Amino acid sequence: MRVGIGYDVHKLVENRNLILGGVEINYKKGLLGHSDADVLIHSIMDSLLGAASLGDIGKLFPDNDEQYKNISSLLLLSKVKNIIYSKGYSINNIDSVIIAQKPKLSPFINDMKKNICTILNIKEDQINIKATTEEGLGFTGKEEGIAAQSICMLKKIS
């Protein structure tokens, strides 16, 4: 068994779509980034890559490479899954938390889980997603950005 942790943060800006867990959320701001800036998916990818000792998403999908501009993070997650599986690992479980003052994310969590389970070919009881605020403190509490943290456990299958 191998464990990995991932963290990502992006700034909230106007004129961008807010996408978390592959779900487009109707909100006045979105996350700024080279790809779709999906902090949840990015943190999950980094946890998977870390558990397999394969670096991070910046190494695999550099933000100066035009092929990744505005790309769906779900597509990148699929690539990470293929890499992880090709190295002989399967996903045991993932636990994630999204840190955002607003918008309220609980209505979207089931759809996020379904998207991720479909891409990773895992069951819904293998992933947990939570959302929390920081009670108005820090950059997330002041609605300047959104962050996500993830941890995963991989099993060696070959």
Side-chain angles (χ1 to χ4, degrees):
M1 299 284 213
R2 297 181 64 116
V3 176
I5 189 167
Y7 174 79
D8 196 40
V9 60
H10 284 275
K11 181 178 180 176
L12 278 166
V13 297
E14 306 223 351
N15 301 314
R16 285 278 293 192
N17 293 332
L18 178 58
I19 299 170
L20 294 169
V23 176
E24 188 169 335
I25 298 168
N26 186 17
Y27 190 59
K28 63 186 176 184
K29 292 183 178 180
L31 295 170
L32 180 63
H34 186 66
S35 67
D36 63 7
D38 187 329
V39 293
L40 175 60
I41 300 296
H42 293 184
S43 72
I44 290 171
M45 289 189 292
D46 269 347
S47 72
L48 293 168
L49 292 167
S53 194
L54 295 171
D56 60 35
I57 61 173
K59 177 180 170 185
L60 260 78
F61 314 113
D63 65 4
N64 59 358
D65 190 330
E66 285 302 307
Q67 71 177 313
Y68 304 121
K69 184 149 180 71
N70 296 318
I71 194 169
S72 167
S73 292
L74 290 175
L75 292 173
L76 300 178
L77 181 62
S78 179
K79 291 176 185 286
V80 167
K81 176 200 75 172
N82 291 339
I83 293 167
I84 297 299
Y85 286 19
S86 76
K87 298 293 184 182
Y89 294 103
S90 68
I91 299 166
N92 189 64
N93 72 300
I94 299 168
D95 189 25
S96 299
V97 60
I98 306 166
I99 304 111
Q101 193 66 36
K102 289 183 182 173
K104 186 168 180 64
L105 298 175
S106 57
F108 305 101
I109 288 179
N110 283 338
D111 288 337
M112 293 177 196
K113 284 179 71 170
K114 287 177 186 172
N115 286 343
I116 295 163
C117 288
T118 298
I119 296 293
L120 294 178
N121 196 27
I122 61 174
K123 297 176 182 162
E124 287 191 37
D125 69 353
Q126 290 177 273
I127 184 165
N128 189 56
I129 301 170
K130 306 169 291 290
T132 190
T133 70
E134 289 191 311
E135 303 297 329
L137 300 173
F139 72 90
T140 60
K142 293 176 182 155
E143 299 178 51
E144 296 171 356
I146 295 178
Q149 297 178 8
S150 297
I151 189 167
C152 74
M153 181 177 285
L154 301 181
K155 298 183 283 192
K156 192 73 169 167
I157 54 177
S158 63

